[in-house]
Amino acid sequence: PIHFWIDDDGLLHKFEFAVDGADVIAEPGEEFESMVVTFEIYGYNEPVSIEAPDPATVTDADDLGDMFGDF
């Protein structure tokens, strides 16, 4: 199940779901039991300033190897 928290104005502020490890394919010798994922959303209509990071501090996803599996 997925749980949603919605305010009186109809804005989503949080949602949460569980992942059962029985449905996750793990590598041989590894296991995955379960996890709960929670997202909180706030700051609606607040101004946003985004600045690109210094390229010297960025790691290319290809350089991460198998850290995050196949993506």
Side-chain angles (χ1 to χ4, degrees):
I2 299 176
H3 301 276
F4 296 94
W5 285 258
I6 299 171
D7 69 13
D8 292 338
D9 294 324
L11 297 173
L12 177 64
H13 284 275
K14 181 177 175 181
F15 66 97
E16 182 176 274
F17 61 92
V19 178
D20 181 355
D23 299 328
V24 176
I25 299 171
E27 295 292 324
E30 295 181 358
E31 64 180 75
F32 179 87
E33 292 183 20
S34 65
M35 72 176 172
V36 175
V37 179
T38 304
F39 289 91
E40 292 192 47
I41 304 160
Y42 50 89
Y44 283 97
N45 298 317
E46 289 184 6
V48 176
S49 176
I50 300 173
E51 190 174 312
D54 178 340
T57 65
V58 176
T59 301
D60 189 279
D62 293 334
D63 295 335
L64 295 175
D66 292 332
M67 184 176 194
F68 296 105
D70 296 327
F71 61 95

